[in-house]
Amino acid sequence: MICQQIIRRFEEIEYPIKHMSKTAKLEIDGKSYSLPIIEGTEGECAVDIANLRNESGYITLDDGYGNTGSCQSGITFIDGEKGILRYRGVPIEELAETSTFIETAYLIIYGKLPTHAELRQFSGLLTENENLHEDMKYHFAGFPATAHPMAILSSMINASSCFYPGLMAGRNPARFDIQAARLISQVRTIAAFAHRKSRGLPIIYPKPTYKYTANFLHMMFSDVYQDYELKPEVVKALDLIFLLHADHEQNCSTATVRMVASSQANLFACAAAGVCALWGPLHGGANQAVIEMLQQIHDAGDNGSRFIAAAKDKNSGRRLMGFGHRVYKNYDPRAKIIKRACDQLLNSLHINDPLLDIAKHLEEAALRDPYFLERKLYPNVDFYSGIIMRAIGLPLEMFTVIFAIGRMPGWIANYKETMADPKGRISRPRQIYTGQTLNHYVPIDQRG
Ligand code: SDX
């Protein structure tokens, strides 16, 4: 029985942004343009260029959007210079210490920490929606065993929505809670089934008595004849990994989700697009790339020094994976938390992973090296997360899938915020054309 549907609107808690009396002056061709300045609740300021082209005929250009805000959002705040990360104002350090992934998911999506009753209801919705439609197994059967689980994840999220035509139709806020719960719950089931399929193992169904992360480990590692032994420290470590990945402002994949949501595509289509954007090695794929890098260093008998030299050499095509960040010009607060959790988990499991020693050596060496210091390159969330996932026994190709499971609440919250925007404009960036000027068709016989 689906819990009584909570009629919710897409309302977002209004955050006071200030339209400053200050304006920016822009001089072009002897004409002066006055552009309004807006200030967010944490004092970030932006020049509002919404009317720039109408007034001046000019647009702005910002490769990689390093200086361009695509939206106003009340979900996550990052201060990259100070290494601050807060979900709905709550510091990541407090959530990591005292919360769980599902409680934090509720905070990110609904804008407040849940009461006991709200958390019970949310958890109940997740449990009610944890199974895939049984016919989905025919889709799994169609994938080769070598299929990358990120490819399976993105396609199966869309495939899953085909079984709920009523739920997905139109922009009905009342359906949002079920859509969100179904997506958060099923992304975990799809991921585990994809892993089982890749190993030629029978799928293990979720247990309604298990909490979110324990259920995922159960579906990943149990046998038909014997349940996986859930070690509390392992469940806690993976739950922390999910929590730390839950949202992160307008990163590449979240910005992709908002872009797709702006066309009023359904939530599952937006999430599937987010999975594809996350897959790249410069983004969510970095956690897999870090382990491959550490393994390569280990196998070469290098203590990391040779690799660091290569990472500094532009011609090497190498980067110190897990280092650097577009926003953090300080230590990623998530990396600090994960590094500590790494030590705790490996000690409690009595694991001595040489790759962790290499990672620590790389960090020490890089943080003494002017190349990295001058460019403000510090460990990011991906630098140590793979060590924990290895210790848990997760296969390398599942690392970015773990990131996607963790990021799902952030994508859902950004989808909700986009849909709640009363202006609701489709995102459509401009460009500067640099191609062939006016040209004409030439019949094929006259072409050189
Ligand atoms: C995530 O946006 C988010 O919030 C993302 C994320 C999230 O939670 O969603 O935090 C998750 O994606 C973390 C990042 C994971 N990716 C990696 O670890 C891959 C390695 N890092 C880089 O490729 C890079 O640092 C990025 C992609 C993370 C950021 O790239 P930018 O901001 O475009 O920086 P850049 O490429 O312009 O680099 C600036 C300079 C360049 O040198 P110069 O041309 O100035 O001489 O720094 C150098 C770069 O060559 N540089 C590196 C480097 N990262 C940047 N040199 C060596 N190793 C690196 N890792």
Side-chain angles (χ1 to χ4, degrees):
M1 187 268 286
I2 286 191
C3 284
Q4 184 248 336
Q5 286 198 10
I6 317 137
I7 300 299
R8 269 182 208 282
R9 298 200 46 65
F10 277 125
E11 84 283 353
E12 282 294 313
I13 302 168
E14 278 306 309
Y15 293 92
I17 53 141
K18 281 184 231 161
H19 279 277
M20 311 278 284
S21 53
K22 274 193 314 187
T23 57
K25 290 272 179 268
L26 184 62
E27 290 280 333
I28 304 177
D29 304 333
K31 276 192 77 180
S32 176
Y33 300 92
S34 177
L35 301 170
I37 287 178
I38 64 168
E39 180 181 0
T41 48
E42 286 288 347
E44 297 164 305
C45 290
V47 177
D48 183 342
I49 58 169
N51 292 318
L52 178 65
R53 189 171 185 275
N54 286 344
E55 292 174 9
S56 71
Y58 280 69
I59 63 168
T60 58
L61 190 61
D62 182 17
D63 176 37
Y65 305 115
N67 305 281
T68 299
S70 59
C71 63
Q72 296 172 45
S73 176
I75 302 167
T76 291
F77 171 68
I78 299 175
D79 182 323
E81 281 67 33
K82 295 178 186 154
I84 291 173
L85 170 58
R86 298 181 196 144
Y87 295 155
R88 299 287 188 177
V90 184
I92 193 69
E93 294 80 4
E94 289 179 26
L95 292 166
E97 191 61 37
T98 54
S99 188
T100 64
F101 172 55
I102 291 308
E103 183 182 60
T104 297
Y106 188 99
L107 168 68
I108 287 170
I109 294 171
Y110 294 107
K112 64 187 266 302
L113 285 165
T115 60
H116 280 294
E118 288 166 335
L119 188 56
R120 257 197 318 278
Q121 191 161 27
F122 186 53
S123 188
L125 273 183
L126 295 177
T127 302
E128 283 164 21
N129 289 281
E130 63 192 7
N131 277 304
L132 305 178
H133 190 289
E134 195 59 14
D135 289 350
M136 287 275 284
K137 66 184 178 194
Y138 300 112
H139 293 274
F140 280 102
F143 288 105
T146 53
H148 195 289
M150 287 295 273
I152 297 176
L153 195 62
S154 61
S155 39
M156 296 298 267
I157 286 173
N158 263 323
S160 173
S161 70
C162 300
F163 292 91
Y164 319 114
L167 178 68
M168 306 312 290
R171 295 178 62 192
N172 182 332
R175 298 192 193 109
F176 171 77
D177 297 315
I178 306 291
Q179 289 172 11
R182 195 156 282 175
L183 188 53
I184 291 175
S185 202
Q186 290 191 3
V187 68
R188 169 195 50 171
T189 310
I190 292 170
F193 285 16
H195 167 64
R196 303 290 293 190
K197 154 86 194 159
S198 73
R199 295 295 192 276
L201 296 169
I203 56 175
I204 299 290
Y205 287 87
K207 279 186 189 255
T209 51
Y210 279 8
K211 291 284 181 208
Y212 190 88
T213 301
N215 228 340
F216 173 68
L217 290 165
H218 159 65
M219 290 189 276
M220 282 287 292
F221 298 126
S222 286
D223 291 315
V224 176
Y225 48 86
Q226 185 181 351
D227 278 355
Y228 167 76
E229 184 202 350
L230 290 165
K231 291 181 181 158
E233 65 270 34
V234 169
V235 178
K236 186 172 183 325
L238 184 56
D239 198 77
L240 175 65
I241 291 281
F242 287 148
L243 185 155
L244 293 171
H245 286 77
D247 193 45
H248 210 241
E249 234 195 39
Q250 299 310 311
N251 57 83
C252 179
S253 52
T254 299
T256 300
V257 167
R258 288 186 83 114
M259 174 73 82
V260 177
S262 77
S263 75
Q264 297 187 7
N266 71 61
L267 174 58
F268 280 55
C270 296
V275 169
C276 296
L278 186 71
W279 193 357
L282 293 188
H283 189 13
N287 54 22
Q288 176 174 337
V290 166
I291 295 299
E292 288 163 346
M293 171 187 76
L294 295 175
Q295 191 63 57
Q296 195 183 37
I297 291 169
H298 177 265
D299 297 347
D302 174 12
N303 68 359
S305 313
R306 292 204 303 272
F307 192 90
I308 282 186
K312 290 158 53 176
D313 171 5
K314 295 284 181 282
N315 303 318
S316 73
R318 299 275 182 83
R319 284 201 159 189
L320 186 54
M321 301 311 278
F323 252 72
H325 199 277
R326 173 64 57 77
V327 175
Y328 288 123
K329 300 309 170 192
N330 201 322
Y331 213 109
D332 183 331
R334 302 167 296 176
K336 276 184 193 162
I337 297 167
I338 291 176
K339 183 180 176 183
R340 256 199 320 274
C342 249
D343 287 333
Q344 286 162 3
L345 182 67
L346 270 65
N347 288 339
S348 92
L349 297 178
H350 309 298
I351 293 174
N352 178 16
D353 186 347
L355 300 195
L356 177 58
D357 300 333
I358 293 174
K360 287 181 175 176
H361 173 78
L362 283 172
E363 176 189 340
E364 279 159 29
L367 297 188
R368 285 197 304 268
D369 187 311
Y371 172 93
F372 293 92
L373 295 174
E374 285 157 10
R375 292 167 179 79
K376 298 184 178 174
L377 304 175
Y378 293 87
N380 60 48
V381 67
D382 294 305
F383 193 61
Y384 288 105
S385 56
I387 305 283
I388 287 189
M389 295 190 236
R390 259 164 68 91
I392 291 172
L394 290 161
L396 190 58
E397 69 276 7
M398 287 291 288
F399 285 11
T400 309
V401 171
I402 298 299
F403 193 145
I405 294 172
R407 186 53 50 91
M408 202 53 77
W411 289 342
I412 291 169
N414 277 272
Y415 164 88
K416 182 169 181 279
E417 197 173 57
T418 305
M419 299 302 270
D421 182 347
K423 291 195 300 293
R425 297 186 77 205
I426 191 167
S427 296
R428 202 276 184 215
R430 293 276 181 165
Q431 63 164 28
I432 292 295
Y433 177 69
T434 56
Q436 173 77 42
T437 53
L438 181 61
N439 200 353
H440 295 287
Y441 182 81
V442 176
I444 192 163
D445 306 337
Q446 297 167 30
R447 294 174 201 158

